Amino acid sequence: MATGRPALSSMAESITIRVQSPDGMKKVAKEFGFSTNGFSVYQNRNKTGEITSQSKSLSLLKIKHGDMLYLFPLAAPGPSGEIMDVAAPPSTSSSSSLSRPQSSLSRPQTATQITEDEIDQYLAKQDGKIYRNQDPQLCRHGSMGKCVHCVPLEPFDEDYLNHLDPPVKHMSFHAYIRKLTGGADKGKFAALENISCKIKSGCEGHPPWPEGICTKCQPSAITLNRQKYRHVDNIMFENHTIADRFLDFWRKTGNQRMGYLYGRYTEHKDIPLGIRAEVAAIYEPPQIATQNSLELVDDPKAGAVEEIAAKLGLRKVGWIFTDLLSEDTRIGTVRYSRNKDSYFLSAEECITAGDFQNKHPNTCRLSPDGDFGSKFVTVVATGGPDNQVHFEGYQVSNQCMALVRDECLLPCRDVPELGYAKESSTEQYVPDVFYKDKDKFGNDITYLARPLPVEYLIIDITTTFPKDPAYTFTSTQRFSIENRDVLGETQDFHSLATYLSQNTSTVFLNIVSDFHLLLFLVTNEVMPLGDSIGLLLDAVKTSNEELAQTWRKSEQWATIEQLCSTVGGQSSGLPDYGAMGGPPNPTSSSSMWSCRHCTFMNQPGTEQCEMCSLPHS
């Protein structure tokens, strides 16, 4: 922050006004001309008291000799927008005026314009203090009084968090915000800055890297610290069925599996101002899985999944993967491999988690960038100390997110618990990364992060299941999960006909209230419903049977029933399809027929499929 002192002269007297801006003083011109630069002028550093009127004089604005004005750019200036013109008009000081910028550049998004998540808006309005009852032994006052033994505690009180059962090592993010915005200044200077490991652009005093670098454009060195707060304080699956269906893939194949968690963020009342990620469904994208590895492939349905989840009031809150190895198949035990003597998350998993978190940033009003950290969580299904399957939740720190975003962190090939900070090259400058540890004498020693123990980057999160299960999707029958062709579980109209024939519910909403079924109805290639399913999604979201019955009478569902009846007529058990509330539609030679090989609907009277050319029977 540089300070300039342009002289504002007049016929009567000469006064000096100090003008301070992030870019410093550039040159002096005839008057305050910002029409081509996009600056705003304020009387206070906190961007209050903006000088907007062109008719007000310096005396009316109460600007005196020696006062300070503050200039802030409306948008990032380009190469031609780095000149700030400040000088004195030829009139008297009483009639000297400050002209408002007439630039067409729009004002950047301010804190008041940023729309935070609903849970963040809710917690920001809460008191958050920890209220205590009177201590019968230490309190010596009436019922209306307070003393140091019963006064409410702040939500970031470390002593209180350490005495919880179990102790809480990380305060909630909103408690951390209260800590920053507390005190005498009320957070006047509080700002959550995102870490950058890249060279700042626009430095013209030297050749670009690798020929030159200076302290102005060089990123600061990073000393890794264990993060004191976390953006999510608890992960909860709505019921055991969600996790059991996900684990079925490993149980049947022995291969690992990965999925995206869809749910919502709610208040976690066990921790002051805490946030809980509630999981309502798991979507399994296309992947190549083995016993020791996972590889994600391109997912053509990714956009449709996001759209369906949004219409159901859900969002992607995290990802889950398995790391399971059977120990004794007779009694169903698994190996306990992730512990304090090995690792909890490998460096490669930390990098993947950091990449996911960077793709799902957390909107924050206190950040100049509009976002800070992430609520995206990582869940690992692995063996526990009792050799049973346990679900462990994690996030990586904001420092890890920055290292991953700027491509500064690499995994070690042979040691999964160690990462490695890249060294600078002619293509990329990498700042020095350090971490602190204690030597054998108990002294704090600073080490270069080559290699780096990833435990400095990990934040653990409690993962739980509720005592009283909840069900966003109420169907008791299981529709086939997507992308499980290796198990012989396919999503087609044969599986849909089987699903409908086996479903004994008389409530239509309960029949269609299945996340994987809704996804199939939208993304199938024979008859994708697309936008026409909106009413049904609203019915599932609000648990409204009347809306579901209204959609059931639509032409789209009648076509679906006809397809299922035609396909199901070639398999056993389809007569039970009448459980949908009506008898099955009989097939005849005069009606359209579905190819049992490709499910294409053919015109009556044809003997072979018009799509695949295979015979009718």
Side-chain angles (χ1 to χ4, degrees):
M1 185 77 76
T3 303
R5 295 173 179 268
L8 297 180
S9 59
S10 66
M11 297 177 58
E13 59 178 337
S14 176
I15 66 173
T16 300
I17 295 177
R18 297 174 296 164
V19 181
Q20 192 177 77
S21 77
D23 296 325
M25 290 300 305
K26 298 300 180 182
K27 75 173 186 178
V28 176
K30 193 172 183 180
E31 47 184 50
F32 279 90
F34 307 109
S35 59
T36 60
N37 299 288
F39 284 91
S40 286
V41 187
Y42 300 90
Q43 296 186 27
N44 302 309
R45 189 192 300 272
N46 60 355
K47 294 186 179 181
T48 59
E50 182 177 5
I51 300 174
T52 58
S53 175
Q54 301 181 20
S55 60
K56 287 186 178 180
S57 63
L58 294 177
S59 59
L60 291 176
L61 292 171
K62 299 182 180 180
I63 297 176
K64 303 182 297 297
H65 175 72
D67 284 354
M68 177 87 77
L69 298 181
Y70 302 92
L71 272 68
F72 292 92
L74 294 177
S80 62
E82 295 186 356
I83 298 178
M84 180 177 64
D85 300 333
V86 181
S91 58
T92 62
S93 60
S94 60
S95 61
S96 299
S97 63
L98 303 179
S99 62
R100 184 178 178 176
Q102 300 297 321
S103 171
S104 61
L105 297 175
S106 59
R107 189 179 299 272
Q109 195 176 39
T110 61
T112 56
Q113 296 172 324
I114 294 175
T115 303
E116 295 184 316
D117 294 340
E118 291 183 5
I119 183 61
D120 293 321
Q121 297 179 32
Y122 171 77
L123 292 176
K125 300 175 183 178
Q126 303 304 305
D127 180 25
K129 292 189 176 181
I130 306 163
Y131 291 91
R132 300 182 292 175
N133 297 324
Q134 276 188 261
D135 192 309
Q137 296 180 348
L138 299 177
C139 293
R140 297 289 185 269
H141 53 75
S143 59
M144 301 300 293
K146 293 289 183 182
C147 66
V148 294
H149 304 293
C150 61
V151 69
L153 301 176
E154 295 293 342
F156 49 81
D157 189 275
E158 295 185 5
D159 186 61
Y160 171 81
L161 296 176
N162 290 332
H163 283 82
L164 290 176
D165 186 24
V168 177
K169 296 183 295 183
H170 307 277
M171 71 179 75
S172 66
F173 179 62
H174 279 269
Y176 177 70
I177 291 179
R178 296 293 173 90
K179 187 175 183 179
L180 290 181
T181 56
D185 61 353
K186 299 298 182 183
K188 180 179 179 181
F189 304 104
L192 300 174
E193 298 282 351
N194 289 303
I195 302 171
S196 177
C197 304
K198 292 184 177 180
I199 296 176
K200 297 179 181 178
S201 60
C203 193
E204 301 177 353
H206 56 79
W209 175 264
E211 281 74 20
I213 195 171
C214 67
T215 56
K216 182 179 179 181
C217 61
Q218 179 183 9
S220 302
I222 299 175
T223 300
L224 298 177
N225 299 306
R226 290 182 175 89
Q227 194 165 287
K228 296 182 179 180
Y229 61 89
R230 56 189 177 188
H231 292 272
V232 175
D233 304 281
N234 180 260
I235 305 169
M236 188 183 72
F237 290 84
E238 284 189 345
N239 52 75
H240 285 274
T241 305
I242 300 172
D244 286 339
R245 295 196 67 187
F246 176 72
L247 293 177
D248 279 343
F249 184 89
W250 172 80
R251 294 188 180 111
K252 295 177 180 178
T253 65
N255 294 334
Q256 308 305 329
R257 196 64 172 169
M258 177 267 184
Y260 292 118
L261 306 175
Y262 281 88
R264 58 186 70 85
Y265 295 110
T266 60
E267 182 183 10
H268 181 48
K269 298 183 179 180
D270 294 343
I271 296 177
L273 300 178
I275 294 178
R276 165 182 287 162
E278 290 188 3
V279 180
I282 299 178
Y283 169 71
E284 301 177 14
Q287 55 196 281
I288 302 173
T290 67
Q291 293 184 357
N292 301 312
S293 65
L294 282 170
E295 180 184 353
L296 294 180
V297 297
D298 292 336
D299 184 8
K301 299 179 181 178
V305 176
E306 292 292 324
E307 184 178 356
I308 293 171
K311 291 181 178 179
L312 291 170
L314 306 177
R315 59 186 295 183
K316 191 185 293 183
V317 299
W319 69 301
I320 182 174
F321 66 94
T322 61
D323 182 18
L324 297 167
L325 184 62
S326 295
E327 187 172 72
D328 191 339
T329 56
R330 295 174 300 175
I331 58 177
T333 56
V334 293
R335 183 172 299 177
Y336 178 40
S337 58
R338 294 180 181 245
N339 50 59
K340 63 180 182 180
D341 297 324
S342 57
Y343 60 92
F344 296 102
L345 279 184
S346 68
E348 192 171 6
E349 292 161 358
C350 286
I351 294 173
T352 304
D355 182 60
F356 279 134
Q357 290 181 204
N358 283 319
K359 292 178 180 177
H360 301 84
N362 174 55
T363 307
C364 181
R365 55 187 170 83
L366 291 181
S367 174
D369 301 325
D371 57 73
F372 185 77
S374 173
K375 296 191 188 77
F376 201 83
V377 299
T378 299
V379 179
V380 187
T382 185
D386 55 355
N387 297 112
Q388 300 297 318
V389 178
H390 285 231
F391 292 87
E392 308 294 341
Y394 301 98
Q395 276 193 311
V396 294
S397 65
N398 292 7
Q399 290 180 326
C400 180
M401 290 175 59
L403 293 174
V404 173
R405 181 188 63 245
D406 296 331
E407 300 180 354
C408 299
L409 186 62
L410 297 173
C412 289
R413 176 177 298 178
D414 300 324
V415 190
E417 66 269 20
L418 294 179
Y420 193 88
K422 289 173 62 175
E423 299 182 23
S424 297
S425 63
T426 55
E427 291 80 16
Q428 179 185 9
Y429 175 83
V430 179
D432 291 330
V433 182
F434 303 96
Y435 70 94
K436 291 184 178 181
D437 201 355
K438 293 185 180 293
D439 60 9
K440 62 181 180 179
F441 303 106
N443 301 317
D444 288 332
I445 306 296
T446 301
Y447 297 96
L448 189 63
R450 301 189 182 109
L452 161 69
V454 296
E455 62 192 46
Y456 284 84
L457 311 175
I458 298 174
I459 303 168
D460 61 301
I461 305 174
T462 306
T463 305
T464 58
F465 291 85
K467 293 181 179 179
D468 300 321
Y471 294 88
T472 298
F473 303 100
T474 57
S475 175
T476 56
Q477 191 69 25
R478 298 182 179 184
F479 186 69
S480 301
I481 295 178
E482 59 283 337
N483 302 312
R484 286 193 175 185
D485 297 344
V486 67
L487 289 178
E489 298 181 10
T490 58
Q491 287 190 342
D492 52 27
F493 280 90
H494 288 279
S495 59
L496 178 58
T498 303
Y499 170 82
L500 295 176
S501 65
Q502 294 176 351
N503 204 314
T504 59
S505 177
T506 57
V507 180
F508 180 70
L509 180 62
N510 292 339
I511 296 174
V512 296
S513 183
D514 183 284
F515 182 75
H516 308 286
L517 170 61
L518 296 172
L519 178 60
F520 169 73
L521 293 177
V522 174
T523 60
N524 73 87
E525 297 180 356
V526 177
M527 186 185 172
L529 297 182
D531 297 335
S532 61
I533 203 175
L535 186 63
L536 179 60
L537 296 179
D538 289 338
V540 174
K541 177 182 178 180
T542 59
S543 299
N544 191 324
E545 171 66 13
E546 293 183 1
L547 283 180
Q549 288 292 343
T550 301
W551 186 84
R552 181 187 179 184
K553 300 174 184 178
S554 65
E555 181 181 350
Q556 290 81 7
W557 181 248
T559 307
I560 294 291
E561 286 183 317
Q562 178 66 30
L563 286 169
C564 291
S565 178
T566 304
V567 174
Q570 303 169 6
S571 60
S572 60
L574 189 67
D576 292 336
Y577 179 60
M580 281 297 298
N585 295 324
T587 60
S588 65
S589 59
S590 62
S591 62
M592 295 181 64
W593 59 276
S594 173
C595 177
R596 63 177 179 177
H597 304 285
C598 68
T599 70
F600 181 76
M601 294 300 298
N602 295 274
Q603 296 296 326
T606 55
E607 296 299 330
Q608 65 180 14
C609 178
E610 298 176 6
M611 178 62 67
C612 64
S613 300
L614 293 175
H616 183 185
S617 57

